[in-house]
Every structure is written in structure tokens, then in C-alpha cells.
Amino acid sequence: MTAKVETAMEQIEIATGVLVVGGGMTGVETALQVASQGYAVTLVEGGAEIGPGAESRPRGALPDGADLADRVARVRASDRIEVLSGTRLDAVAGLAGDFRAWLGTAEDVIERRFGAVVLATEFAVKPLFLGYQLSPGKAVIGQSDLENRLAEDPAAFAERTVAFVVGFAQNGNPLVMQRVFNSVKALQAAGAAGVNVFVADLKVADDGLERCYREGRDGGALYFKLKAAPQIATAEAGVTLTFPDPVLRRAVNADADLLVVEEALEVTAANADLAAMLRLDLGPQGFLQADNIYRFPVATNREGIFVVGASREARSLAWALTDARNAALRVRELLGDGKRSVPRDKAVVDIGKCTFCLTCYRCCPHGAIYWLAENKPVISPVACQGCGICASECPMDAIQIGGFRDDEVQGRIGAALADVNGDPAIVAFCCQNSALAAGEMAAQFKMPLPAGLRLVQVPCAGKIDLQYILDAFVKGADGVLVMACHPGNCKSERGNTYAGWRVEDAQRILAGAGLDAERLRFATLAANMGSDFRAIVVDMAQKIQELGKVSQ
Amino acid sequence: MNSQTKKVMVIGGGIAGLTAAWELAAAGVEVALVEKAPFLGGHAIQYACKATDTCQQCGACGVEKMLANVVACDRIQVHLAAEVASVSGDGPFTVALRASGSAPAGAGACGAGYDADPQACAAGRGYSVHNGVFYGPDGSFDPRRVAAPADTTVDAVVLATGFVPFNPAEKPTYRHHELANVVTGLELERAKRIFGDVRRPSDGRLPARMAFIQCVGSRDERLGHLWCSQVCCPYALRSALATKHKHPEMDVTVFYMDIQNTTNSFGAFYDQCKSALRFVRTIPVDMYEAPDGAVRTRYMTEEDGAPVDEIFDLVVLSVGIMPGADNSALSRTLGIDLNGDGFFARPDLLNTSLTGRSGLFVAGTAGGPMTIAGAMAHAGQSAAAVLQYLGRASR
Ligand SMILES: Cc1cc2nc3c(=O)[nH]c(=O)nc-3n(C[C@H](O)[C@H](O)[C@H](O)COP(=O)(O)OP(=O)(O)OC[C@H]3O[C@@H](n4cnc5c(N)ncnc54)[C@H](O)[C@@H]3O)c2cc1C
Ligand code: SF4
Ligand code: SF4
Ligand code: SF4
Ligand code: SF4
């Protein structure tokens, strides 16, 4: 059932330099890791410093006692790493193995060629005073301010009462929480008279945080978990917080000399610009990675562009460095020794048929198509994922996908239907990333499946042409299923969306031809769900049973 | 590339071990993958999809994909139902393997068709279509695909022996097993994967009222478990939302202390949860028998502390991530420390794949709680650390 693809390969030369954007600790680690594999690295940082000076994780969110400076020294000492501080990434063109970047320094714009790009941008730390209708003052400060003061003059907090509000102006995350827990402990060490933390949810889902929280609590800190922020009255000498007490069943007051307001760790505006420049799908909260399991951990929709640390999530430095090492692995896999063997026919444009409409360029979810000076679309065999979306969308049928040329797929539809005898024939077009495995699972586990069911593999549901669907009916199918990944689970982001649209179009055509539109169904499922596959096909078979075979 | 081929042993074939093995093999290293159970994929190969109309990014189907990569890779030699008996040397290491005593279900698995005994069939075939290559026609191991336990010399070792889900027998008032319709999160996942839907163990019916109880065994001072398992809020909420989406008439309640985040989409996801599910901020601990297989529980309300009696058709205990059963034995065999919680210690704050001993690395939940996505990233880091250790990292 699985199509065995025989393809001619060709050797191509690719650039092996690597551009790392962002000079915080994650960018520094990425540069070191990539350079240790023998690649030349250009590390670009907008600010003047790299390393701790460019790191956006506030001091309260950094691990205690870790030697960060040493890594910067190693970057400086490496003859494979070029550090360009005070430099902007102005523009990027090209594709994996052949990116061209323009780097703007104070004096000049430098043009360079790279094989891969790693984005290690930082976040912005944003105080959330507005979320509590407060403004900073003597008695109301932000978390960063507290951390700085605790580092500079802890004695100033002796005998003082400090309150925190956290989780009411944002959902928050373990990094936000870790800062509070650390400050609580530092206040206790400084001899504070009392610490009260007003919190929506304790976000303790990272290493050691539950313990850190308990240490503060055992040291006398009081935690009040509330559904809504306490009422806050500010005065020159301090604040009064009012909140419902579930035990006493009435509103109670707590006074504090100082109220510490939580901060958000947000992406910077630069992310949106980078996404536009690099044709990346912007993810939730403005991170540079879509929420899609195929991007785990450091991939983007574009081959050769990787995202690490704060560019993809707000998490601890340890996890950000984990990303850096994963990015180095991916870079190595992509760039190798600079020679790559790629299939000749992964996706090929027949220029004779092409009318230069740009459809393919626009719809390719992986940014794998580029435009030559002589106005010709060319598909990069390195960047192309072979999904076939472009082939199915091209109005001229000018693109063919290796292993899934139109004639091959149509031949398979015919062959699949040839041996259905008597039973209602159902052709299921199965995305090889989800439905195919689920279908094979159902068969291997001997789940009862309709006798006339035949599977036709496609590289992505986005490759299911309108023509294939109609062809299946012409060749004798009584029903057709288009089986794709759940929305948000498509490796090519939108292949399932395109497939759904084509099903709607085909249903209209079927209805126009006097066939019940119910003979064609669209369904989504995951690779691990043989039982879902079974339910979908059995339901379909029942429907076809009701409708009867198509009378030819 | 280094001309001399290096060999690495990966102990444990869950998502962390699979990922480490695959990354190492991709870099040209020979891998011996040792798995105690008769199938690869560990816990996560048993989980169900939690999509509603859209994918909820639980990561379970990603495990399927990594398993497919591994079984197709000829640089990875797989030992199933095997475990480490002894290790000697300081790199290279000589590892003696022995049979773990577990065995595939053998003949009969799926023999009479899936519906004759879905659980036995799924378990007998290792829950996944990709484990199929390991079994011969009679359901026993195919010796061409499953290497016999033998002494092996390797240049480095990755420990990816994972976790055990909390055993609710340690909290007897939940009366897990004693009451048929008190199940663990793992049992729910497995049942959803096998049957495609939620079912009550007592009678196979769809529950009308279902409750999830969070933090069972985690964040528990009495048990000395001072950690958040990190995965049980995500899995319970996703599972609850998917179930509610499929059966809008069902009442689904979540009893919790604090809700932990899922992915970057958490805000939107949690809003959806808040409108579809009922959240009660308390953790009930006592379960009683109620008519018709139902389960009665008592708790105090969050608002005014009033006592409430409630009845559910199905109660799911959101069990968390506990240190692996073999951790102390492995710690002695390999000469590496455990931390105070019983997971493998990771002394380097900035590289959590390193153990205290050179040549030995840790990957995934063997070192502490993490999600599937986390375990994949962590195992990638472990593979990178191994490559650096082997000196193969330079081209
Ligand atoms: C009920 C439940 C639901 C969950 N749902 C999700 C979810 O939806 N999304 C998510 O991201 N995470 C989820 N998780 C967490 C997820 O299970 C883990 O992140 C993941 O399984 C960790 O993989 P691992 O490889 O570290 O460990 P494991 O899956 O435990 O794999 C370890 C492997 O090592 C083997 N092994 C153990 N000891 C030895 C030995 N001595 N020798 C050889 N082999 C050995 C085991 O048999 C096992 O195969 C869930 C957890 C639970 C308990
Ligand atoms: S979609 Fe087809 S016709 Fe349009 S530019 Fe691309 S190849 Fe040419
Ligand atoms: S096959 Fe897919 S990835 Fe390749 S060029 Fe076409 S749309 Fe892009
Ligand atoms: S919900 Fe989980 S199993 Fe389902 S498609 Fe999404 S990631 Fe895969
Ligand atoms: S993830 Fe949620 S249920 Fe699990 S231990 Fe943490 S807070 Fe409790």
C-alpha cells in the first residue's frame, strides 16, 4: 500500500555558514554549539553586548551560580565565530542552503551567504501595573525593580512587609512564578517582617519550583489563592489589600509596606518583522513558531530556519539552552559537509505549461519556491517538503511531485478499484502523515473494516486534487473519503484546509451531476487512532449502503 | 566523519529513548536500544488523540512518528523485553543484558479479530502499527528484528528509563480498583485509544457525569512528593475538553489546586475549558460506592466551605510522574546518583542531560517530570551531548 518511491538523486553544493540572530545566552550557546561542529557562525546582536548583557531573562529568572560569562569568553576566543554587535538583520532572501542576508552595522551594510539561520531573539519584560489599575510609586513597584533592590541593598527590606500580586493580569507561567518564589526567599533572608503572595494559580510546572514555593511558605510566607485580584488601596506609607477569606467567610484586609506587581515576559515587536521578512508563520502570543507538533522542538514552517529560546516560548534558561543544542543538531543534519544529495523530481515545474501566475509561490507553506530573474518559478529541492499543495493548486497542472505524479496517482485509483467485487466501493484518500498509519493500524489489529474499502496514499491531504476525487467516481467508486490531519496538526499547516475546500467544490459538482453529496466525505484524524479510522469508514459504509451503489 | 564507528546504548524505548536513538543514528552512530517491555514507545504510545475540532497539541501522535523513524532505521538494533544486568568499564563500557521477564502476548493477540478482546489485541501488538515489525505471525518476537540479550561494548550510555505513573494504592481512600469506575489517567488514555471513546469499566457505558481529580500523588507533602508532575493538567484538561466536545450533554468536572499551562495557546485553550467544564478548587480524597456503579465523593466548597456530596459515573485520577521503578538499582549498576526525589540527578544547571559521570547521559522523564515535547527536546540535547563526548561532533 505504501508507495515505494524510486528517485534519481543529484548532488548539490550548499552554503555552510550559519547566521545566529540574537546575542543573549541562548544565541551565545547556539553559536558555540554550531561552531563546535565545524561551521562558521555569524552572531548578530542589535545591542552592544553579548551574553548576560543581552539576556532578557531578569536576574530572578536565572539559575543561581551558573557560570554565564565563561561562555561569552569562549565565543570571543573562537576563530569560527564572528560577533557583530550593534548590528541589525535588514533583509533575508533565498532558501535553506542558500540564504542571503543583509546585515546593517553602524557604518555599513554587509551582505553574506548562509546555509541556515537560527533565531534566538529575546523577550521584553513588561510590568503589568495597568492590569491592576496601579501606577508605580513608593509603595508599588515592579518585580524587576524588587529584584534589583534586593541585590543591591537587602538590608533595606528588614522588618518590612511585602505583598505580591501575580496571575491576575495575565495567565503567567513558571518563569513568572519562579521570580516571585526567589524574591520571597530573598526577602526572608533579608529579615522581612512578612510576605504575602496573592495569586491566581501557582504555575509550578518546571524543575524545582514546587519545592522553591514550599521553602518560602515554610519560611513564613502566606499564599492566598484568589479567583480575582484583591482590591488594592494605595497610600504614601503602603498599601491595603482587601480580599474574601474562605475560612472566615468575609472580606479581610492585609497591609503591606510595599506591593510588588508581576511582570509579563512578552515577545518584542521585532518578531512580527522577522516573521514577515522570513515568511514564518507567527505563532500564538507572537512567538516565531506555530503551535504544531511537527515544529517540536526548534523547527519552523521553513526548512533551514530554526527558533530557539525566547523566540519560541517563555521558559527557563536551561530549556532555552536545550533548544540551542537541538538547533545545532538540526543544522548539522541539514548542512552536513556542504554537499547534499537531493531527489531530482521532488517537485518539478514544467515551465512550458506555467503561466507565471504566482499561485504556487503564494500557497507553498514552506516558502520553498523562489522566482528566478527571468520570471520563472523554481522549487528548491532542499526546502521543499513534497507536500504537493502547489501541484494541486496550480491552475495549469504545471507541477508534478515525485512518487505522486498525476498519472501515478490516477493509476493507483484505478488499480485500487479494479479488485472490488460486488461490495460498495469506497476510496479513501489518506494523508500519509495521519490517516494512512491509522488505517494500517486498524487493518493490522484486525478491526472489521468494509470489504470494499481501498486506501490511496497521498503525501499530504493538500495533494488531493479535485480531479482525483472525480476520477475515483468515474472509475467506479460508490463513495469517496478524504482523510486528513486534524486542523493544527498538518505538517504543511494548511494542506487539510485545501483538502476541505476541494471536497466542498467536488460535492457541488457531484450534486450537479445528480449524485448524493453524502457520497463524498471529509474527515480528520490522528496517526495513532486506528479506532477513529474504523469509526469513520464504518459510518461511511453504512451511508453508502443506504444510498446503494452508484448505477453506472 | 570519524572513520571508526561508535556505538551507544540507549536504555529505555519511550519517546525520550526513541528520540535519542534516532538523533544518534542520524549522526552516524550505531545504537543498541534496550527496552524492558515487549514493545517500544513507553507510556506515550498508549495515549489517545485529544483533538476537538482542532488538534490540541498533546504530542501523542508525534510518538507514533518517532517510532516509525526508529523501526525503519537500520543503525538501531532493538532489544525488547531486555534489561541491563551489569556495566563495567569507564568508557568504553561493557554492558551485560538479560531478559526482563516480560513477554509479548504471543499467539492469540488479535487472532480472533479485534473485537474478541480489544485490550489484549492492542497490548499484544504493542499498541502501535509500527511495533508490528517485531512480532512474527504467532505474535512472538521475530528474531530477525528483536536482538537477543547479549554482552555489548559501547562508547556511551543514555539513560531513558522514564517514569512510573503514581500508583493510587498509596492513597487508599481513592479506592482505585476496588471501585470499578475509579480509574487512573493512564487507564482512561488507553481505553480511549482502544475503544475510541470514554467508557465505564463496570458496564462499558458512556458516563453522564465525569470528574477528573488533579495532583493525585504529586505536590503531596504527606507522600514527600514535592514536585509538580507538569503533564497531568495538560492531559486531563485536553482529555476533558475533547470528551465534552464529543459528548456535549456530558457533565465534566475538574477538581484542582492550580492549573498548569499547556502550550503557547494556553490562554485561548483555558478559556475554552472554562466555558465547557466545571472547575472546583479542592481535591476530594474519599470515594464511596453509589448505586449503579457510580462513585460518591465529598468535599468542601471553595466559596464558603460548605460540605457537598456529589455523585459521578466515572472518576479519573490524574496521576503524575514518579521516579522509575528501577532507578535505585540502575543508580547502583551505573554508579550515578539520584536526586532527593528519586529521579536521576542532573548536577549541571545549564545542561540537564549530563549526569555526574562522564560517558553516561540522561534523557526524558528519567531525570524529572516533563511533557512529550519536553522529552523530545531533552533527548535531542542528550544526543548532542553524546556526540560531543564521542568527539564526533566536528565534521
Ligand atoms: C496518564 C498520562 C498522560 C499523559 N499525557 C500526556 C500528553 O498528552 N502530552 C504530553 O506531552 N505528555 C503526557 N504525559 C507525559 C508523558 O507520558 C511523558 O512525557 C513521556 O511519556 C516521557 O517519555 P519517557 O521516554 O521519558 O518515559 P516513558 O514513556 O516512561 O518511557 C520509558 C521507557 O523505558 C523503559 N524502561 C524502564 N526501565 C527500564 C530498564 N531498567 N531497562 C530498559 N528499559 C526500561 C520503559 O518500559 C519505557 O518503555 C502523560 C503522562 C501520563 C501519566
Ligand atoms: S502555480 Fe503553476 S502556473 Fe502558476 S506560477 Fe506556479 S507553476 Fe506557474
Ligand atoms: S510540494 Fe509543498 S513544499 Fe514543495 S514546493 Fe510545493 S507546496 Fe512547497
Ligand atoms: S491532539 Fe494530540 S494526538 Fe491528536 S492530532 Fe493533536 S497532537 Fe496528535
Ligand atoms: S500538572 Fe497539574 S495536576 Fe499535575 S501535579 Fe502539576 S498542578 Fe497537579
Side-chain angles (χ1 to χ4, degrees):
Chain A
M1 192 181 328
T2 308
K4 279 274 170 286
V5 188
E6 287 287 328
T7 39
M9 306 296 279
E10 72 182 314
Q11 282 266 329
I12 57 167
E13 297 268 341
I14 55 179
T16 59
V18 178
L19 173 65
V20 177
V21 181
M25 289 312 303
T26 316
V28 161
E29 180 72 12
T30 306
L32 284 173
Q33 291 281 330
V34 172
S36 80
Q37 302 179 335
Y39 302 106
V41 177
T42 301
L43 178 62
V44 172
E45 160 62 38
E49 289 179 64
I50 61 163
E55 173 63 44
S56 61
R57 279 178 191 74
R59 64 204 321 159
L62 290 175
D64 251 356
D67 188 358
L68 304 180
D70 164 64
R71 285 179 156 79
V72 178
R74 276 157 54 207
V75 167
R76 298 280 182 202
S78 167
D79 54 9
R80 292 206 190 100
I81 305 175
E82 169 192 35
V83 179
L84 298 176
S85 44
T87 302
R88 276 183 335 266
L89 178 60
D90 280 342
V92 176
L95 300 94
D98 188 20
F99 290 107
R100 213 160 279 277
W102 288 268
L103 309 170
T105 66
E107 304 87 45
D108 209 357
V109 175
I110 314 172
E111 187 187 332
R112 286 279 159 78
R113 194 168 166 245
F114 298 104
V117 179
V118 184
L119 301 174
T121 57
E122 294 291 326
F123 7 75
V125 179
K126 186 178 145 203
L128 297 176
F129 295 109
L130 275 182
Y132 294 89
Q133 283 147 355
L134 292 170
S135 42
K138 207 165 153 269
V140 177
I141 65 171
Q143 176 68 32
S144 290
D145 202 2
L146 174 74
E147 285 165 9
N148 292 335
R149 291 195 206 177
L150 270 168
E152 282 150 24
D153 185 14
F157 292 91
E159 297 307 320
R160 307 250 296 168
T161 310
V162 181
F164 290 80
V165 279
V166 56
F168 304 107
Q170 62 173 339
N171 277 313
N173 59 48
L175 209 48
V176 168
M177 208 45 85
Q178 181 187 3
R179 301 178 68 193
V180 174
F181 295 155
N182 283 341
S183 294
V184 167
K185 289 203 289 177
L187 284 167
Q188 288 167 342
V195 180
N196 294 330
V197 182
F198 299 87
V199 57
D201 279 289
L202 290 172
K203 301 285 182 183
V204 287
D206 207 345
D207 289 342
L209 288 196
E210 176 76 11
R211 187 160 261 131
C212 193
Y213 150 66
R214 299 219 178 223
E215 282 165 5
R217 226 187 46 182
D218 294 346
L222 296 178
Y223 279 81
F224 300 93
K225 290 190 196 171
L226 305 175
K227 279 200 164 143
Q231 281 171 30
I232 302 166
T234 53
E236 188 59 18
V239 297
T240 302
L241 299 114
T242 308
F243 58 99
D245 185 307
V247 183
L248 303 174
R249 302 189 194 186
R250 60 178 169 79
V252 294
N253 290 337
D255 294 332
D257 300 319
L258 190 63
L259 177 67
V260 182
V261 175
E262 64 177 317
E263 288 173 345
L265 301 166
E266 291 182 345
V267 302
T268 62
N271 273 19
D273 298 340
L274 275 174
M277 183 196 295
L278 295 165
R279 301 173 66 197
L280 296 179
D281 294 333
L282 210 53
Q285 298 179 44
F287 287 102
L288 288 167
Q289 189 181 45
D291 224 354
N292 180 326
I293 63 149
Y294 286 96
R295 311 293 172 246
F296 286 175
V298 297
T300 64
N301 56 305
R302 294 199 63 202
E303 182 63 281
I305 303 180
F306 306 100
V307 283
V308 292
S311 63
R312 72 175 198 98
E313 64 179 4
R315 250 187 133 184
S316 68
L317 182 60
W319 279 108
L321 301 188
T322 303
D323 283 357
R325 294 158 191 141
N326 275 280
L329 277 185
R330 293 278 78 77
V331 163
R332 182 180 203 271
E333 194 180 63
L334 174 70
L335 303 182
D337 58 2
K339 292 184 192 63
R340 261 187 75 128
S341 153
V342 293
R344 258 179 219 287
D345 65 346
K346 205 173 198 176
V348 183
V349 183
D350 179 345
I351 292 299
K353 287 186 180 168
C354 171
T355 54
F356 317 111
C357 69
L358 279 169
T359 301
C360 53
Y361 177 81
R362 289 198 195 98
C363 73
C364 173
H366 303 287
I369 303 182
Y370 57 102
W371 221 254
L372 283 189
E374 57 269 36
N375 201 17
K376 280 202 325 204
V378 178
I379 297 176
S380 153
V382 179
C384 171
Q385 306 295 309
C387 66
I389 290 175
C390 57
S392 293
E393 286 295 304
C394 171
M396 305 311 296
D397 288 337
I399 304 176
Q400 295 295 332
I401 305 296
F404 298 95
R405 290 191 324 266
D406 289 333
D407 58 320
E408 289 174 317
V409 176
Q410 281 165 329
R412 283 177 208 139
I413 297 169
L417 286 165
D419 70 336
V420 181
N421 298 319
D423 301 298
I426 300 174
V427 170
F429 290 103
C430 291
C431 166
Q432 67 184 12
N433 297 315
S434 54
L436 189 73
E440 287 174 345
M441 180 175 177
Q444 195 190 85
F445 285 28
K446 299 209 172 66
M447 295 183 187
L449 301 174
L453 175 72
R454 295 293 180 273
L455 274 46
V456 174
Q457 176 182 359
V458 285
C460 166
K463 178 70 191 94
I464 303 167
D465 290 21
L466 183 60
Q467 197 50 50
Y468 297 172
I469 299 172
L470 302 177
D471 201 44
F473 282 108
V474 170
K475 289 184 171 136
D478 302 299
V480 172
L481 271 164
V482 168
M483 300 178 92
C485 309
H486 290 302
N489 190 240
C490 174
K491 182 179 176 189
S492 297
E493 294 295 341
R494 295 175 282 278
N496 43 10
T497 308
Y498 288 113
W501 289 347
R502 288 184 208 127
V503 165
E504 285 172 20
D505 291 346
Q507 280 170 332
R508 272 193 293 275
I509 297 174
L510 290 185
L515 278 182
D516 197 313
E518 280 269 36
R519 288 187 186 276
L520 171 61
R521 278 189 187 171
F522 178 70
T524 62
L525 73 171
N528 55 352
M529 294 305 285
S531 49
D532 283 356
F533 181 91
R534 170 193 183 172
I536 293 164
V537 298
V538 165
D539 199 51
M540 179 71 174
Q542 262 160 16
K543 186 79 218 173
I544 301 300
Q545 203 74 50
E546 276 168 35
L547 295 173
K549 288 177 69 80
V550 177
S551 42
Q552 295 297 330
Chain B
M1 285 271 163
N2 205 320
S3 58
Q4 189 195 350
T5 304
K6 302 277 185 176
K7 187 162 183 175
V8 174
M9 179 170 286
V10 176
I11 309 176
I15 182 59
L18 293 174
T19 308
W22 167 248
E23 295 285 5
L24 288 167
V29 173
E30 293 288 325
V31 178
L33 179 57
V34 181
E35 168 56 55
K36 191 171 146 179
F39 60 90
L40 290 180
H43 286 100
I45 204 67
Q46 306 170 44
Y47 302 159
C49 172
K50 301 173 194 73
T52 53
D53 274 340
T54 58
C55 167
Q56 300 296 329
Q57 313 301 342
C58 78
C61 59
V63 180
E64 204 76 27
K65 277 152 207 172
M66 190 53 79
L67 178 55
N69 290 342
V70 166
V71 299
C73 176
D74 53 16
R75 277 206 201 98
I76 303 173
Q77 186 181 35
V78 177
H79 300 265
L80 291 179
E83 62 188 6
V84 172
S86 68
V87 177
S88 58
D90 250 328
F93 304 89
T94 301
V95 186
L97 299 180
R98 63 169 176 236
S100 71
S102 68
C110 308
Y114 189 74
D115 292 337
D117 190 346
Q119 269 126 328
C121 170
R125 300 212 62 94
Y127 299 96
S128 165
V129 68
H130 306 298
N131 273 319
V133 299
F134 297 122
Y135 313 116
D138 65 350
S140 62
F141 288 139
D142 180 343
R144 284 167 306 176
R145 289 306 301 259
V146 180
D151 288 9
T152 314
T153 299
V154 295
D155 299 289
V157 176
V158 178
L159 255 175
T161 46
F163 69 101
V164 293
F166 177 71
N167 177 2
E170 289 184 53
K171 293 188 76 84
T173 60
Y174 281 123
R175 299 177 69 193
H176 176 239
H177 284 323
E178 204 185 316
L179 301 179
N181 296 328
V182 176
V183 302
T184 65
L186 179 59
E187 288 161 348
L188 176 76
E189 283 301 311
R190 232 187 246 142
K192 282 175 68 183
R193 175 148 175 158
I194 292 170
F195 300 111
D197 208 345
V198 177
R199 294 188 173 193
R200 290 211 316 180
S202 69
D203 54 11
R205 275 187 8 230
L206 190 71
R209 288 171 58 82
M210 178 170 171
F212 287 81
I213 301 181
Q214 297 308 105
C215 297
V216 174
S218 313
R219 306 182 67 193
D220 187 324
E221 208 142 25
R222 289 242 300 272
L223 295 167
H225 296 169
L226 299 188
W227 65 86
C228 163
S229 288
Q230 306 184 23
V231 302
C232 13
C233 282
Y235 84 65
L237 259 54
R238 285 174 174 133
S239 196
L241 190 67
T243 305
K244 176 78 182 174
H245 181 263
K246 190 161 185 178
H247 305 290
E249 72 291 351
M250 198 187 289
D251 274 341
V252 187
T253 303
V254 179
F255 292 99
Y256 75 106
M257 284 202 257
D258 299 289
I259 296 295
Q260 307 304 324
N261 297 3
T262 49
T263 63
N264 288 337
S265 315
F266 176 72
F269 169 75
Y270 192 34
D271 285 345
Q272 256 182 299
C273 288
K274 281 191 279 200
S275 62
L277 315 170
R278 184 171 67 120
F279 283 90
V280 181
R281 193 171 211 161
T282 188
I283 305 281
V285 290
D286 292 308
M287 301 294 143
Y288 306 94
E289 204 169 336
D292 195 24
V295 181
R296 187 163 60 82
T297 188
R298 287 191 189 140
Y299 62 90
M300 256 79 86
T301 64
E302 184 185 350
E303 290 73 23
D304 58 5
V308 190
D309 240 357
E310 261 195 271
I311 292 189
F312 297 98
D313 300 312
L314 182 67
V315 171
V316 182
L317 307 177
S318 296
V319 292
I321 292 197
M322 303 292 128
D326 300 342
N327 283 13
S328 6
L330 283 166
S331 144
R332 267 176 272 121
T333 312
L334 295 164
I336 53 180
D337 295 335
L338 300 181
N339 66 20
D341 296 332
F343 296 99
F344 288 99
R346 304 174 302 176
D348 188 333
L349 293 175
L350 298 183
N351 191 336
T352 56
S353 292
L354 307 182
T355 67
R357 217 182 138 189
S358 95
L360 301 184
F361 302 84
V362 64
T365 53
M370 59 183 81
T371 61
I372 293 169
M376 291 173 79
H378 195 253
Q381 169 175 263
S382 310
V386 171
L387 293 174
Q388 211 141 41
Y389 169 78
L390 297 179
R392 298 188 53 112
S394 56
R395 291 182 283 143

